[in-house]
Amino acid sequence: MDAQSRGRAEEIDPADQWVLNPRTGHYELQLNDSAARERPKVAAPRRSSSASPAAPTAPSPGVPGQRRGDAPPGGRRGGGRSRKGGGGGGRRKKALLITSGTLALLLVGGAAAAYLYYDHLNGNLSVTDIAGAGTGGFKKDQAINILVIGTDKRSGAGNEGYGDKDSVGHADTTILFHIAKDRSNATALSIPRDLITTIPDCPTKQPDGTTKTVRGAKGVRFNTSLGQEGRDAGCTMRTVKELTGIEVDNFMMVDFNAVKTLSTAVGGVPVCLEKDVDDEDSKLKLTKGEHKLEGEQALAFVRTRHAFGNESDLDRIKTQQQFLGSMMREMKSKETLTSPKKFFSLAEAATKSLTVDQGLGSIDKLTDLATELKDIDLKNITFTTLPVLDNPAEKVKATVVVNQGLADPLLQMIRGDVSLTEVEKKEQAAKEAADADAKAKQEALLQGNRAPAGDVRVAVYNGGGPKGAASTTLGWLQNSKGMSKASNQGNAPSKVDATQLEYAPNQADQARALADALGLPATALKVGTTDAAAKTPMKLTLGPDFQKPGTPLAPPVPQELPKDVQQAQADKAVCAK
Protein backbone atom coordinates (compact mmCIF):
# COMPACT_ATOMS: atom_id res chain seq x y z
CA MET A 1 0.00 0.00 0.00
CA ASP A 2 1.22 3.50 -0.83
CA ALA A 3 2.47 5.42 2.18
CA GLN A 4 -0.03 8.22 1.49
CA SER A 5 -2.94 5.77 1.74
CA ARG A 6 -2.23 4.43 5.22
CA GLY A 7 -4.78 4.99 7.93
CA ARG A 8 -7.79 5.07 5.67
CA ALA A 9 -10.89 3.24 6.72
CA GLU A 10 -10.72 0.70 3.90
CA GLU A 11 -7.34 -0.89 3.21
CA ILE A 12 -7.00 -2.93 0.04
CA ASP A 13 -4.71 -5.93 -0.26
CA PRO A 14 -2.92 -5.53 -3.62
CA ALA A 15 -3.06 -9.28 -4.16
CA ASP A 16 -6.86 -9.13 -4.16
CA GLN A 17 -6.84 -6.75 -7.15
CA TRP A 18 -5.22 -9.28 -9.51
CA VAL A 19 -7.80 -11.46 -11.24
CA LEU A 20 -7.21 -14.46 -13.53
CA ASN A 21 -8.64 -13.79 -16.99
CA PRO A 22 -9.84 -17.24 -18.22
CA ARG A 23 -9.67 -16.14 -21.84
CA THR A 24 -5.97 -15.24 -21.76
CA GLY A 25 -4.70 -17.27 -18.82
CA HIS A 26 -3.03 -14.08 -17.49
CA TYR A 27 -3.58 -12.15 -14.28
CA GLU A 28 -5.01 -8.64 -14.76
CA LEU A 29 -5.29 -5.71 -12.38
CA GLN A 30 -8.96 -4.87 -11.80
CA LEU A 31 -10.01 -2.06 -9.47
CA ASN A 32 -13.56 -1.08 -8.53
CA ASP A 33 -14.46 2.59 -8.60
CA SER A 34 -13.69 3.28 -4.96
CA ALA A 35 -10.46 1.34 -5.11
CA ALA A 36 -9.40 3.13 -8.27
CA ARG A 37 -9.94 6.48 -6.58
CA GLU A 38 -8.01 5.54 -3.47
CA ARG A 39 -5.10 3.58 -4.89
CA PRO A 40 -2.19 5.00 -6.85
CA LYS A 41 -1.84 4.04 -10.46
CA VAL A 42 0.03 0.85 -11.28
CA ALA A 43 2.08 0.52 -14.41
CA ALA A 44 0.63 -2.01 -16.85
CA PRO A 45 2.46 -5.30 -16.39
CA ARG A 46 4.26 -6.83 -19.28
CA ARG A 47 4.73 -10.48 -20.09
CA SER A 48 8.28 -11.56 -19.29
CA SER A 49 10.45 -13.18 -21.92
CA SER A 50 14.03 -14.23 -22.15
CA ALA A 51 14.83 -10.55 -22.29
CA SER A 52 13.75 -8.80 -19.14
CA PRO A 53 11.17 -6.02 -19.48
CA ALA A 54 12.31 -2.46 -19.25
CA ALA A 55 12.78 -1.45 -15.66
CA PRO A 56 14.77 1.01 -13.59
CA THR A 57 18.39 0.05 -12.96
CA ALA A 58 18.69 -1.91 -9.73
CA PRO A 59 20.71 -0.31 -6.94
CA SER A 60 24.37 -1.34 -6.78
CA PRO A 61 24.95 -4.51 -4.77
CA GLY A 62 26.65 -3.99 -1.46
CA VAL A 63 28.94 -5.80 0.91
CA PRO A 64 27.84 -8.81 2.99
CA GLY A 65 24.53 -8.42 4.76
CA GLN A 66 23.46 -5.26 2.97
CA ARG A 67 19.68 -4.89 2.71
CA ARG A 68 18.67 -2.78 -0.26
CA GLY A 69 15.41 -1.42 1.05
CA ASP A 70 12.69 -2.21 3.52
CA ALA A 71 9.88 0.10 2.44
CA PRO A 72 6.45 -1.50 1.93
CA PRO A 73 5.09 -1.83 -1.61
CA GLY A 74 4.71 1.68 -2.92
CA GLY A 75 6.64 3.26 -0.03
CA ARG A 76 9.63 5.48 -0.72
CA ARG A 77 13.26 4.60 -0.12
CA GLY A 78 16.06 7.07 0.27
CA GLY A 79 13.84 10.11 0.38
CA GLY A 80 11.61 9.12 -2.54
CA ARG A 81 11.79 10.26 -6.16
CA SER A 82 11.25 13.69 -7.60
CA ARG A 83 8.15 14.28 -9.68
CA LYS A 84 7.88 16.25 -12.85
CA GLY A 85 5.01 18.65 -13.29
CA GLY A 86 2.54 19.85 -10.72
CA GLY A 87 1.82 17.02 -8.27
CA GLY A 88 -1.36 14.99 -8.73
CA GLY A 89 -1.62 11.20 -8.45
CA GLY A 90 0.55 8.78 -6.48
CA ARG A 91 3.95 7.52 -7.56
CA ARG A 92 3.66 5.03 -10.41
CA LYS A 93 4.58 1.56 -9.32
CA LYS A 94 6.55 -0.74 -11.53
CA ALA A 95 5.26 -4.27 -12.00
CA LEU A 96 7.04 -7.25 -13.45
CA LEU A 97 5.83 -10.62 -14.62
CA ILE A 98 8.04 -13.21 -12.98
CA THR A 99 7.75 -16.98 -13.00
CA SER A 100 7.09 -18.61 -9.69
CA GLY A 101 10.01 -20.84 -10.51
CA THR A 102 12.12 -18.08 -8.95
CA LEU A 103 10.18 -18.41 -5.72
CA ALA A 104 10.32 -22.18 -5.76
CA LEU A 105 14.03 -22.12 -6.53
CA LEU A 106 14.60 -20.71 -3.08
CA LEU A 107 13.62 -24.21 -2.01
CA VAL A 108 14.72 -25.88 -5.23
CA GLY A 109 12.34 -25.73 -8.22
CA GLY A 110 8.90 -24.85 -9.61
CA ALA A 111 7.18 -22.93 -12.41
CA ALA A 112 4.16 -20.68 -13.15
CA ALA A 113 3.50 -16.94 -13.54
CA ALA A 114 2.60 -14.06 -11.24
CA TYR A 115 2.66 -10.24 -11.26
CA LEU A 116 5.03 -8.80 -8.67
CA TYR A 117 6.06 -5.29 -7.67
CA TYR A 118 9.47 -4.86 -9.24
CA ASP A 119 10.92 -2.01 -7.22
CA HIS A 120 9.75 -3.27 -3.88
CA LEU A 121 10.92 -6.84 -4.40
CA ASN A 122 14.33 -5.65 -5.58
CA GLY A 123 14.59 -3.70 -2.34
CA ASN A 124 13.82 -6.79 -0.29
CA LEU A 125 16.90 -8.66 -1.50
CA SER A 126 20.15 -8.71 0.48
CA VAL A 127 23.28 -8.92 -1.66
CA THR A 128 26.76 -10.21 -0.76
CA ASP A 129 29.91 -9.40 -2.72
CA ILE A 130 31.63 -12.81 -2.82
CA ALA A 131 35.02 -11.46 -3.94
CA GLY A 132 35.31 -13.55 -7.08
CA ALA A 133 34.14 -16.90 -5.75
CA GLY A 134 32.45 -19.14 -8.33
CA THR A 135 32.20 -18.74 -12.08
CA GLY A 136 30.80 -15.22 -12.09
CA GLY A 137 27.23 -16.31 -12.75
CA PHE A 138 25.14 -18.95 -14.52
CA LYS A 139 24.92 -19.03 -18.32
CA LYS A 140 21.91 -19.95 -20.44
CA ASP A 141 23.71 -22.43 -22.68
CA GLN A 142 25.54 -24.34 -19.94
CA ALA A 143 24.73 -26.53 -16.95
CA ILE A 144 23.97 -24.44 -13.85
CA ASN A 145 25.19 -25.01 -10.28
CA ILE A 146 23.45 -23.01 -7.55
CA LEU A 147 24.41 -23.39 -3.88
CA VAL A 148 21.38 -23.10 -1.59
CA ILE A 149 22.43 -22.44 2.02
CA GLY A 150 20.20 -22.58 5.06
CA THR A 151 21.92 -20.85 7.97
CA ASP A 152 21.12 -21.35 11.64
CA LYS A 153 21.57 -17.65 12.36
CA ARG A 154 18.98 -16.65 14.98
CA SER A 155 18.02 -13.32 13.39
CA GLY A 156 14.41 -12.13 13.19
CA ALA A 157 11.62 -11.82 15.69
CA GLY A 158 10.71 -15.03 17.48
CA ASN A 159 13.97 -16.85 16.76
CA GLU A 160 15.91 -15.87 19.86
CA GLY A 161 15.03 -19.08 21.70
CA TYR A 162 16.61 -21.44 19.19
CA GLY A 163 20.01 -22.51 20.55
CA ASP A 164 22.74 -19.87 20.63
CA LYS A 165 20.95 -16.60 19.97
CA ASP A 166 24.30 -14.81 19.53
CA SER A 167 25.58 -17.19 16.84
CA VAL A 168 26.79 -15.58 13.61
CA GLY A 169 25.40 -18.60 11.81
CA HIS A 170 26.79 -21.73 10.18
CA ALA A 171 26.17 -23.52 6.88
CA ASP A 172 23.58 -25.65 8.67
CA THR A 173 21.74 -26.94 5.58
CA THR A 174 23.60 -26.93 2.27
CA ILE A 175 22.29 -28.15 -1.08
CA LEU A 176 24.21 -27.99 -4.35
CA PHE A 177 21.52 -27.69 -7.01
CA HIS A 178 22.71 -28.86 -10.45
CA ILE A 179 20.50 -28.01 -13.44
CA ALA A 180 21.28 -30.03 -16.58
CA LYS A 181 22.57 -28.26 -19.67
CA ASP A 182 19.52 -29.38 -21.67
CA ARG A 183 17.21 -28.36 -18.74
CA SER A 184 15.54 -31.79 -18.75
CA ASN A 185 16.51 -32.68 -15.18
CA ALA A 186 18.14 -31.47 -11.98
CA THR A 187 20.01 -32.93 -9.01
CA ALA A 188 19.90 -31.55 -5.46
CA LEU A 189 22.99 -32.75 -3.55
CA SER A 190 22.85 -32.29 0.22
CA ILE A 191 26.19 -31.85 2.01
CA PRO A 192 26.20 -32.95 5.69
CA ARG A 193 27.04 -30.13 8.07
CA ASP A 194 29.19 -32.44 10.27
CA LEU A 195 31.37 -33.58 7.37
CA ILE A 196 35.11 -33.26 8.07
CA THR A 197 36.67 -31.37 5.19
CA THR A 198 39.22 -28.76 4.15
CA ILE A 199 38.27 -25.09 3.95
CA PRO A 200 40.52 -23.16 1.55
CA ASP A 201 41.82 -19.63 2.04
CA CYS A 202 38.90 -17.28 1.39
CA PRO A 203 39.16 -13.70 0.09
CA THR A 204 36.29 -11.94 1.88
CA LYS A 205 34.87 -8.49 1.19
CA GLN A 206 34.83 -6.19 4.22
CA PRO A 207 32.28 -3.43 5.05
CA ASP A 208 34.83 -0.75 4.13
CA GLY A 209 35.24 -2.20 0.63
CA THR A 210 38.61 -3.84 1.23
CA THR A 211 39.24 -7.56 0.80
CA LYS A 212 40.59 -9.69 3.62
CA THR A 213 41.77 -13.27 3.15
CA VAL A 214 40.49 -15.56 5.88
CA ARG A 215 42.95 -18.39 6.36
CA GLY A 216 41.79 -21.88 5.51
CA ALA A 217 41.61 -24.85 7.83
CA LYS A 218 42.04 -28.62 7.54
CA GLY A 219 40.08 -31.34 9.32
CA VAL A 220 37.16 -29.11 10.34
CA ARG A 221 33.38 -29.39 10.06
CA PHE A 222 31.89 -28.27 6.75
CA ASN A 223 29.40 -25.96 8.49
CA THR A 224 32.23 -23.72 9.72
CA SER A 225 32.78 -22.61 6.11
CA LEU A 226 30.19 -19.91 6.80
CA GLY A 227 30.12 -17.28 9.54
CA GLN A 228 33.06 -18.51 11.57
CA GLU A 229 36.17 -16.28 11.61
CA GLY A 230 34.43 -13.88 9.23
CA ARG A 231 33.80 -16.36 6.43
CA ASP A 232 30.97 -15.49 4.04
CA ALA A 233 28.93 -17.53 1.55
CA GLY A 234 31.71 -17.13 -1.01
CA CYS A 235 33.88 -19.24 1.29
CA THR A 236 31.21 -21.95 1.38
CA MET A 237 31.20 -21.87 -2.44
CA ARG A 238 34.99 -22.33 -2.47
CA THR A 239 34.74 -25.16 0.05
CA VAL A 240 32.17 -26.96 -2.11
CA LYS A 241 34.51 -26.67 -5.11
CA GLU A 242 37.38 -28.08 -3.04
CA LEU A 243 35.18 -30.95 -1.83
CA THR A 244 33.32 -31.93 -5.00
CA GLY A 245 35.33 -30.60 -7.94
CA ILE A 246 32.19 -28.70 -9.00
CA GLU A 247 32.47 -24.94 -9.34
CA VAL A 248 29.42 -23.03 -8.15
CA ASP A 249 27.85 -20.32 -10.31
CA ASN A 250 25.75 -18.51 -7.69
CA PHE A 251 24.45 -18.88 -4.16
CA MET A 252 21.15 -18.25 -2.36
CA MET A 253 21.01 -18.14 1.43
CA VAL A 254 18.06 -18.15 3.84
CA ASP A 255 17.70 -18.26 7.63
CA PHE A 256 15.09 -19.62 10.08
CA ASN A 257 12.50 -17.04 9.04
CA ALA A 258 12.42 -18.37 5.46
CA VAL A 259 10.95 -21.70 6.51
CA LYS A 260 8.32 -20.01 8.64
CA THR A 261 7.26 -17.32 6.19
CA LEU A 262 7.36 -19.38 2.99
CA SER A 263 5.46 -22.32 4.48
CA THR A 264 2.82 -19.88 5.72
CA ALA A 265 2.65 -18.00 2.42
CA VAL A 266 1.98 -21.20 0.45
CA GLY A 267 -0.83 -22.09 2.84
CA GLY A 268 0.99 -24.89 4.65
CA VAL A 269 3.24 -27.74 3.52
CA PRO A 270 1.79 -31.30 3.62
CA VAL A 271 3.88 -33.86 5.51
CA CYS A 272 3.30 -37.49 6.51
CA LEU A 273 4.50 -39.22 9.69
CA GLU A 274 4.65 -42.96 10.33
CA LYS A 275 4.62 -42.48 14.11
CA ASP A 276 3.74 -39.97 16.84
CA VAL A 277 6.46 -37.40 17.51
CA ASP A 278 7.22 -35.37 20.65
CA ASP A 279 10.67 -33.75 20.42
CA GLU A 280 11.43 -31.39 23.31
CA ASP A 281 14.49 -29.89 21.59
CA SER A 282 12.79 -28.76 18.37
CA LYS A 283 9.32 -28.40 20.00
CA LEU A 284 7.83 -30.68 17.33
CA LYS A 285 4.76 -32.50 18.62
CA LEU A 286 2.63 -34.29 16.02
CA THR A 287 0.49 -37.40 15.82
CA LYS A 288 0.98 -40.21 13.32
CA GLY A 289 -0.54 -39.46 9.91
CA GLU A 290 -0.83 -36.47 7.58
CA HIS A 291 -0.43 -32.83 8.59
CA LYS A 292 -0.13 -29.46 6.89
CA LEU A 293 2.62 -27.45 8.56
CA GLU A 294 3.39 -23.75 8.49
CA GLY A 295 5.22 -21.19 10.60
CA GLU A 296 6.77 -22.47 13.82
CA GLN A 297 5.60 -26.03 13.22
CA ALA A 298 7.27 -26.12 9.80
CA LEU A 299 10.52 -24.84 11.29
CA ALA A 300 10.37 -27.44 14.06
CA PHE A 301 9.87 -30.18 11.45
CA VAL A 302 12.99 -29.31 9.45
CA ARG A 303 15.07 -28.71 12.60
CA THR A 304 14.22 -31.89 14.49
CA ARG A 305 17.12 -34.27 14.97
CA HIS A 306 15.58 -36.67 17.49
CA ALA A 307 12.24 -37.50 15.90
CA PHE A 308 13.14 -39.76 12.99
CA GLY A 309 15.53 -42.53 12.00
CA ASN A 310 18.58 -42.98 14.21
CA GLU A 311 18.45 -39.32 15.31
CA SER A 312 21.44 -38.32 13.17
CA ASP A 313 22.01 -35.32 10.98
CA LEU A 314 21.77 -37.64 7.95
CA ASP A 315 18.20 -38.52 8.91
CA ARG A 316 17.43 -34.84 9.40
CA ILE A 317 18.68 -34.25 5.85
CA LYS A 318 16.18 -36.84 4.56
CA THR A 319 13.40 -35.10 6.49
CA GLN A 320 14.39 -31.73 5.02
CA GLN A 321 14.44 -33.20 1.51
CA GLN A 322 10.94 -34.59 2.04
CA PHE A 323 9.76 -31.18 3.22
CA LEU A 324 11.32 -29.35 0.26
CA GLY A 325 9.84 -31.81 -2.22
CA SER A 326 6.41 -31.31 -0.65
CA MET A 327 6.76 -27.53 -0.77
CA MET A 328 7.71 -27.72 -4.44
CA ARG A 329 4.62 -29.83 -5.16
CA GLU A 330 2.48 -27.36 -3.24
CA MET A 331 3.89 -24.43 -5.20
CA LYS A 332 3.00 -26.17 -8.45
CA SER A 333 -0.47 -27.15 -7.30
CA LYS A 334 -3.60 -25.71 -8.89
CA GLU A 335 -4.52 -24.00 -5.64
CA THR A 336 -1.30 -22.00 -5.70
CA LEU A 337 -1.10 -21.36 -9.44
CA THR A 338 -4.57 -19.76 -9.54
CA SER A 339 -4.19 -17.61 -6.41
CA PRO A 340 -2.75 -14.13 -6.94
CA LYS A 341 -2.87 -13.61 -3.17
CA LYS A 342 -0.59 -16.60 -2.60
CA PHE A 343 1.80 -15.36 -5.28
CA PHE A 344 2.10 -11.95 -3.65
CA SER A 345 2.63 -13.53 -0.23
CA LEU A 346 5.26 -15.91 -1.61
CA ALA A 347 7.08 -13.15 -3.45
CA GLU A 348 7.20 -11.00 -0.32
CA ALA A 349 8.30 -13.84 1.95
CA ALA A 350 10.88 -15.21 -0.50
CA THR A 351 12.63 -11.96 -1.33
CA LYS A 352 12.73 -10.79 2.30
CA SER A 353 14.31 -14.11 3.29
CA LEU A 354 16.95 -14.12 0.55
CA THR A 355 20.62 -13.21 0.55
CA VAL A 356 22.24 -13.70 -2.86
CA ASP A 357 25.47 -12.89 -4.67
CA GLN A 358 25.76 -9.98 -7.09
CA GLY A 359 25.03 -12.26 -10.05
CA LEU A 360 21.50 -12.85 -8.70
CA GLY A 361 21.09 -9.48 -7.01
CA SER A 362 17.95 -8.33 -8.84
CA ILE A 363 14.49 -9.58 -9.77
CA ASP A 364 15.62 -9.50 -13.41
CA LYS A 365 18.40 -12.00 -12.69
CA LEU A 366 16.15 -14.22 -10.58
CA THR A 367 13.58 -14.17 -13.37
CA ASP A 368 16.24 -15.27 -15.87
CA LEU A 369 17.16 -18.14 -13.58
CA ALA A 370 13.52 -19.12 -13.11
CA THR A 371 13.07 -19.18 -16.89
CA GLU A 372 15.84 -21.78 -17.08
CA LEU A 373 14.00 -23.93 -14.50
CA LYS A 374 10.36 -23.58 -15.42
CA ASP A 375 10.04 -26.62 -17.70
CA ILE A 376 11.74 -29.21 -15.47
CA ASP A 377 9.24 -31.83 -14.36
CA LEU A 378 9.34 -32.63 -10.64
CA LYS A 379 9.77 -36.32 -11.43
CA ASN A 380 13.10 -35.42 -13.02
CA ILE A 381 14.43 -33.62 -9.93
CA THR A 382 16.42 -35.95 -7.67
CA PHE A 383 17.41 -35.29 -4.06
CA THR A 384 20.54 -37.12 -2.90
CA THR A 385 23.17 -36.78 -0.18
CA LEU A 386 26.94 -36.88 -0.45
CA PRO A 387 27.79 -40.42 0.76
CA VAL A 388 29.67 -40.42 4.08
CA LEU A 389 30.98 -42.76 6.80
CA ASP A 390 31.37 -42.30 10.54
CA ASN A 391 34.68 -40.61 11.28
CA PRO A 392 37.07 -43.50 12.08
CA ALA A 393 39.25 -41.18 14.16
CA GLU A 394 36.52 -40.72 16.78
CA LYS A 395 35.54 -43.06 19.61
CA VAL A 396 32.32 -41.16 20.19
CA LYS A 397 30.87 -40.69 16.72
CA ALA A 398 30.03 -37.03 16.13
CA THR A 399 31.36 -36.28 12.64
CA VAL A 400 31.55 -38.02 9.26
CA VAL A 401 34.01 -38.35 6.39
CA VAL A 402 33.42 -38.84 2.67
CA ASN A 403 32.72 -42.40 1.52
CA GLN A 404 34.91 -42.15 -1.59
CA GLY A 405 33.72 -45.45 -3.06
CA LEU A 406 30.17 -44.13 -3.40
CA ALA A 407 30.88 -40.40 -3.60
CA ASP A 408 33.28 -40.56 -6.56
CA PRO A 409 30.80 -42.04 -9.10
CA LEU A 410 28.02 -39.79 -7.84
CA LEU A 411 30.14 -36.65 -8.23
CA GLN A 412 31.37 -37.86 -11.62
CA MET A 413 27.76 -38.12 -12.78
CA ILE A 414 26.96 -34.60 -11.60
CA ARG A 415 30.14 -33.17 -13.15
CA GLY A 416 29.36 -35.10 -16.34
CA ASP A 417 25.80 -33.73 -16.39
CA VAL A 418 24.24 -37.21 -16.18
CA SER A 419 20.68 -37.36 -14.89
CA LEU A 420 20.10 -39.37 -11.70
CA THR A 421 16.54 -40.05 -12.78
CA GLU A 422 14.77 -41.12 -15.95
CA VAL A 423 13.72 -38.24 -18.12
CA GLU A 424 10.71 -38.82 -20.36
CA LYS A 425 11.24 -41.71 -22.77
CA LYS A 426 10.80 -39.55 -25.87
CA GLU A 427 13.34 -37.02 -24.63
CA GLN A 428 15.73 -39.77 -23.55
CA ALA A 429 15.52 -41.55 -26.91
CA ALA A 430 16.24 -38.31 -28.79
CA LYS A 431 19.15 -37.55 -26.47
CA GLU A 432 20.63 -41.03 -26.86
CA ALA A 433 20.36 -40.82 -30.66
CA ALA A 434 22.04 -37.43 -30.67
CA ASP A 435 24.76 -38.68 -28.31
CA ALA A 436 25.44 -41.71 -30.50
CA ASP A 437 25.71 -39.55 -33.61
CA ALA A 438 27.99 -37.08 -31.85
CA LYS A 439 30.17 -39.91 -30.51
CA ALA A 440 30.60 -41.40 -33.98
CA LYS A 441 31.62 -38.04 -35.43
CA GLN A 442 34.01 -37.45 -32.53
CA GLU A 443 35.67 -40.86 -32.85
CA ALA A 444 36.30 -40.13 -36.53
CA LEU A 445 38.62 -37.29 -35.50
CA LEU A 446 41.19 -39.83 -34.35
CA GLN A 447 41.26 -41.56 -37.74
CA GLY A 448 44.08 -40.44 -40.06
CA ASN A 449 47.77 -39.57 -40.27
CA ARG A 450 49.97 -38.55 -37.31
CA ALA A 451 52.52 -35.72 -37.55
CA PRO A 452 56.13 -36.34 -36.44
CA ALA A 453 56.68 -35.39 -32.79
CA GLY A 454 59.05 -32.57 -33.76
CA ASP A 455 56.32 -30.92 -35.86
CA VAL A 456 53.72 -30.74 -33.09
CA ARG A 457 53.12 -27.16 -31.94
CA VAL A 458 50.95 -26.78 -28.86
CA ALA A 459 50.39 -24.12 -26.20
CA VAL A 460 49.62 -25.73 -22.83
CA TYR A 461 47.23 -24.05 -20.36
CA ASN A 462 46.06 -25.10 -16.90
CA GLY A 463 42.27 -24.76 -16.81
CA GLY A 464 41.51 -26.60 -13.58
CA GLY A 465 44.14 -29.34 -13.38
CA PRO A 466 46.57 -29.84 -10.48
CA LYS A 467 48.79 -26.93 -9.49
CA GLY A 468 51.77 -26.69 -11.85
CA ALA A 469 50.19 -29.12 -14.35
CA ALA A 470 51.00 -26.96 -17.40
CA SER A 471 54.69 -26.74 -16.48
CA THR A 472 54.92 -30.47 -15.68
CA THR A 473 53.21 -31.39 -18.94
CA LEU A 474 55.49 -29.13 -20.97
CA GLY A 475 58.61 -30.79 -19.56
CA TRP A 476 57.18 -34.26 -20.18
CA LEU A 477 56.20 -33.49 -23.80
CA GLN A 478 59.61 -32.02 -24.60
CA ASN A 479 61.82 -34.49 -22.73
CA SER A 480 59.87 -37.74 -23.01
CA LYS A 481 57.94 -37.34 -26.27
CA GLY A 482 60.28 -35.17 -28.36
CA MET A 483 57.65 -32.44 -28.85
CA SER A 484 60.13 -29.57 -28.59
CA LYS A 485 57.73 -26.97 -30.01
CA ALA A 486 55.36 -27.17 -27.04
CA SER A 487 55.06 -24.08 -24.81
CA ASN A 488 53.73 -23.34 -21.31
CA GLN A 489 51.11 -20.58 -21.14
CA GLY A 490 50.27 -20.90 -17.44
CA ASN A 491 46.69 -20.55 -16.21
CA ALA A 492 43.90 -20.48 -18.78
CA PRO A 493 41.69 -17.34 -18.98
CA SER A 494 38.78 -19.48 -17.73
CA LYS A 495 38.44 -22.97 -16.28
CA VAL A 496 37.08 -25.94 -18.22
CA ASP A 497 34.99 -28.90 -17.10
CA ALA A 498 37.34 -31.41 -18.77
CA THR A 499 40.67 -31.43 -20.62
CA GLN A 500 40.33 -30.26 -24.23
CA LEU A 501 42.54 -29.82 -27.29
CA GLU A 502 41.49 -27.08 -29.70
CA TYR A 503 42.98 -27.15 -33.21
CA ALA A 504 42.36 -26.14 -36.82
CA PRO A 505 41.43 -28.56 -39.62
CA ASN A 506 44.95 -28.34 -41.10
CA GLN A 507 46.41 -29.32 -37.70
CA ALA A 508 44.51 -32.63 -37.48
CA ASP A 509 47.68 -34.75 -37.89
CA GLN A 510 49.34 -32.85 -35.03
CA ALA A 511 46.23 -33.26 -32.87
CA ARG A 512 46.18 -37.02 -33.38
CA ALA A 513 49.88 -37.29 -32.49
CA LEU A 514 49.35 -35.28 -29.28
CA ALA A 515 46.22 -37.28 -28.40
CA ASP A 516 48.23 -40.50 -28.73
CA ALA A 517 51.02 -39.14 -26.53
CA LEU A 518 48.73 -37.95 -23.75
CA GLY A 519 46.07 -40.63 -24.10
CA LEU A 520 43.37 -38.05 -24.88
CA PRO A 521 39.93 -39.50 -25.75
CA ALA A 522 38.09 -38.39 -28.86
CA THR A 523 35.74 -36.30 -26.70
CA ALA A 524 38.66 -34.04 -25.77
CA LEU A 525 39.25 -32.96 -29.38
CA LYS A 526 37.65 -29.69 -30.50
CA VAL A 527 38.26 -28.97 -34.18
CA GLY A 528 37.68 -25.47 -35.58
CA THR A 529 36.20 -24.45 -38.92
CA THR A 530 39.08 -22.53 -40.52
CA ASP A 531 42.71 -23.45 -41.13
CA ALA A 532 45.45 -21.97 -38.95
CA ALA A 533 48.38 -19.88 -40.17
CA ALA A 534 51.83 -21.44 -40.29
CA LYS A 535 53.52 -21.89 -36.88
CA THR A 536 50.25 -21.27 -35.03
CA PRO A 537 50.12 -23.64 -32.05
CA MET A 538 47.17 -25.77 -31.02
CA LYS A 539 45.65 -25.03 -27.60
CA LEU A 540 45.69 -27.73 -24.92
CA THR A 541 43.73 -26.82 -21.76
CA LEU A 542 44.15 -29.20 -18.82
CA GLY A 543 40.96 -29.74 -16.82
CA PRO A 544 40.07 -31.31 -13.45
CA ASP A 545 40.12 -34.79 -15.03
CA PHE A 546 43.87 -34.41 -15.72
CA GLN A 547 46.15 -36.00 -13.12
CA LYS A 548 49.65 -36.02 -14.61
CA PRO A 549 51.17 -36.55 -18.06
CA GLY A 550 51.33 -40.21 -19.03
CA THR A 551 48.36 -41.07 -16.80
CA PRO A 552 45.00 -41.65 -18.53
CA LEU A 553 42.32 -39.06 -17.88
CA ALA A 554 39.64 -39.75 -15.30
CA PRO A 555 37.53 -42.83 -16.13
CA PRO A 556 34.34 -42.47 -18.17
CA VAL A 557 31.39 -40.97 -16.33
CA PRO A 558 29.09 -43.65 -14.83
CA GLN A 559 25.62 -43.72 -16.33
CA GLU A 560 23.88 -45.25 -13.33
CA LEU A 561 23.87 -44.28 -9.66
CA PRO A 562 25.37 -46.87 -7.27
CA LYS A 563 22.51 -48.68 -5.53
CA ASP A 564 23.67 -47.68 -2.02
CA VAL A 565 23.50 -43.94 -2.72
CA GLN A 566 20.44 -42.36 -1.07
CA GLN A 567 18.06 -40.66 -3.48
CA ALA A 568 14.47 -39.43 -3.69
CA GLN A 569 12.46 -37.82 -6.48
CA ALA A 570 10.70 -34.51 -5.88
CA ASP A 571 7.36 -35.71 -7.23
CA LYS A 572 6.95 -38.49 -4.65
CA ALA A 573 5.51 -38.02 -1.17
CA VAL A 574 7.37 -40.04 1.48
CA CYS A 575 6.36 -40.46 5.13
CA ALA A 576 8.96 -39.59 7.76
CA LYS A 577 9.74 -42.50 10.06
Side-chain angles (χ1 to χ4, degrees), residues 520-575:
L520 298 179
T523 52
L525 275 57
K526 312 293 180 185
V527 61
T529 57
T530 57
D531 286 346
K535 299 185 179 181
T536 299
M538 300 180 293
K539 181 179 178 182
L540 173 66
T541 306
L542 306 176
D545 57 343
F546 183 85
Q547 299 173 41
K548 62 180 181 179
T551 300
L553 299 183
V557 177
Q559 296 301 302
E560 292 185 4
L561 195 66
K563 63 178 182 178
D564 292 330
V565 175
Q566 174 265 334
Q567 62 173 312
Q569 274 65 55
D571 66 322
K572 293 181 174 64
V574 180
C575 288

Side-chain angles (χ1 to χ4, degrees), residues 381-433:
I381 298 177
T382 302
F383 286 103
T384 187
T385 304
L386 185 69
V388 294
L389 299 168
D390 286 336
N391 189 348
E394 296 176 335
K395 291 183 178 180
V396 178
K397 303 304 180 184
T399 61
V400 294
V401 296
V402 175
N403 180 341
Q404 297 293 165
L406 295 180
D408 286 349
L410 170 61
L411 294 175
Q412 275 187 281
M413 290 179 72
I414 296 175
R415 289 193 296 263
D417 202 27
V418 176
S419 174
L420 301 193
T421 187
E422 259 190 66
V423 295
E424 290 187 26
K425 298 295 184 184
K426 184 177 179 181
E427 294 176 357
Q428 185 69 14
K431 184 176 186 298
E432 288 175 355

Side-chain angles (χ1 to χ4, degrees), residues 333-349:
S333 69
K334 181 179 178 182
E335 289 74 14
T336 301
L337 296 179
T338 57
S339 171
K341 188 176 183 69
K342 279 191 178 182
F343 272 129
F344 271 76
S345 297
L346 278 167
E348 189 72 15

Side-chain angles (χ1 to χ4, degrees), residues 133-182:
T135 64
F138 75 90
K139 297 176 178 60
K140 292 181 179 296
D141 58 345
Q142 296 181 13
I144 300 173
N145 294 302
I146 304 292
L147 195 64
V148 181
I149 306 170
T151 175
D152 60 353
K153 187 173 182 180
R154 274 72 172 161
S155 60
N159 295 325
E160 301 86 356
Y162 300 126
D164 180 6
K165 67 181 179 65
D166 297 319
S167 171
V168 294
H170 302 74
D172 198 51
T173 299
T174 305
I175 299 175
L176 178 60
F177 191 49
H178 173 84
I179 302 115
K181 181 178 179 179
D182 65 5

Side-chain angles (χ1 to χ4, degrees), residues 311-329:
E311 301 186 10
S312 70
D313 186 53
L314 298 181
D315 282 294
R316 173 161 53 181
I317 286 174
K318 292 179 184 177
T319 302
Q320 291 170 345
Q321 292 175 349
Q322 292 164 12
F323 183 86
L324 297 180
S326 182
M327 177 171 277
M328 289 159 56
R329 294 191 297 274

